[in-house]
Amino acid sequence: MTVSPEKPARKLSMKQRYTALTHDLDWTPTYVTEEEIFPFTTFEGIKVHDWSKWEDPFRLTVEAYNKYQAEKDRRLYAVLDGFAQSQGQLGLTEARYMNAMKIFLQGIPIHEYDAHRNFSYLARYANGPGARFAALCQSMDELRHAQTEIHTLSHYNKYFDGMHDWHKWSDRVWYLSVPKSFFEDAMTAGPFEWLIAIGFSFEYLLTNLLFVPFMSGAAFNGDLPTMTFGFSAQSDESRHMTLGLEAIKFMLEQDEDNLPIVQDWLDKWFWRGYRLIALVAGMMDYMLPKRVMSWKEAFELYFEEQMLNGLFKDLEYYGIKPPRHVQWAIDEKEILSHQVYWVLYQYSHAAAFTTTIPDEADQAWLQESYPETWPVFKAAVWDKAQRVQDAGGRYFNPGLPQLCTVCQIPMGFTEPGDPLTQCQRQSVYEGERYDFCSDGCQWIFDREPTKYRQSWLPVHQIYQGNCGGPTLPDVAAWYGLQPGDGAEYLGSPDHQNWLAWHGQAPKED
Ligand code: FE
Ligand code: ZN
């Protein structure tokens, strides 16, 4: 952009300012080759002929970016202050609501930070200035998400168990290896696969299934801080979705040889992302005292309607087909949350959240939302758990579950159309046997066995003696769990404190 000295400088349009401050700052190197500057964008096989074709759907300068974000932060921190000063935690629906936020705190912010790291790698190593700048903005967003999520939830740590050592738990505790292995899988892929994994599959295809129920769940249950954080992140999220969509379209438009590679990644990351948010399904249907909508309804609305019937119709133009194992996910929508919560229930003595048998109101809601599958699960598992509880006990699974080698979730999923037969798939690679929860996870392993054979599977690690010792107390100590962090909700310190704060404590003799 040159302004001649004779003419007075006119005000630039937003688009011109954006171009001047991003694309126009780029230069053509003369004494090093493109391969030397950008060594990581060729090995995955994606062919790019013209990086200048990368369109920036969001035209934001650094100056404007900082101004918007600072304003959003000011609003968020004002709400956090007000909530803390007015003892806002007393206005939650119930203490057990916090379990959803415990899982969120333990499983999400640390991987927002991973996303920050990998987008800053892209901000350096993507060849085109448009792609680099978009990655830079997302990198800053993700850092801010990690920080604001931690700040948002830190107030609750003063009043509730299960929130004190999430950082350490993320590296050690069995269910947190599910999100950890997901993000580490993406970070150890190349830059284009990362963009399909996180930018497209996670941020575009699945993000509404993760964020909308969490944030509306927060709103419904009196959790003003989390709701405000959600609004603060939402405008970033729409930029991320646009980047994900631009990334896939750019790859597909650059060369038709890119199509099969992109389709494979899409198939892989849809399934990985879908398995990851199975935790959200269990949370939505079982952990919120006041529900927003069922997992099944959310899946139909945010995935089947918006993605399958909307987005994938548009992508057909490029030859992209819906994800390979999508029908399996559709078939599972009736049973997914039941299966996940049952796993969480039986193993919460080794976790940093509490669980409990759905109470009368919960059961009525489950019956209404899942008229066909709830009665089957109730009879198969909850009636037994209830009998144990009525006899003064609590059912915990005394053994260790087998984990799926890819998604790392305990093997509790079932054959499609048959909710009572556990699904188990096996592949043998170089004489070793590997087990999977589904066709989707097996397919992912078979494509890249040398990657997944390295999985750090928590149960295998316990058996190999790497987690503090052979007994549950040994492992819990190594995890850094304290009494009250996990096990049964009824009678837990969180529950008792809640009753005491609200003047409902059982009378002392
Ligand atoms: Fe984020
Ligand atoms: Zn799996």
Side-chain angles (χ1 to χ4, degrees), residues 298-331:
F299 187 82
E300 285 170 350
L301 174 63
Y302 297 120
F303 188 75
E304 290 184 77
E305 235 173 79
Q306 291 181 2
M307 297 303 154
L308 276 189
N309 300 334
L311 173 72
F312 278 96
K313 293 276 176 284
D314 297 342
L315 290 176
E316 247 173 38
Y317 166 79
Y318 297 100
I320 284 286
K321 294 200 241 6
R324 183 179 290 255
H325 297 99
V326 73
Q327 190 55 45
W328 190 300
I330 296 170
D331 292 342

Side-chain angles (χ1 to χ4, degrees), residues 290-305:
K290 273 198 194 147
R291 268 87 161 181
V292 182
M293 58 166 73
S294 67
W295 163 260
K296 183 182 143 192
E297 287 170 313
F299 187 82
E300 285 170 350
L301 174 63
Y302 297 120
F303 188 75
E304 290 184 77
E305 235 173 79

Side-chain angles (χ1 to χ4, degrees), residues 112 115 138 141-142 145-146 149 203 211 229 233 236-237 240:
E112 301 268 18
Q138 184 156 354
D141 290 341
E142 303 298 6
H145 290 178
E149 284 165 8
E203 298 272 20
F211 271 91
F229 160 75
D236 302 339
E237 232 34 68
H240 301 174

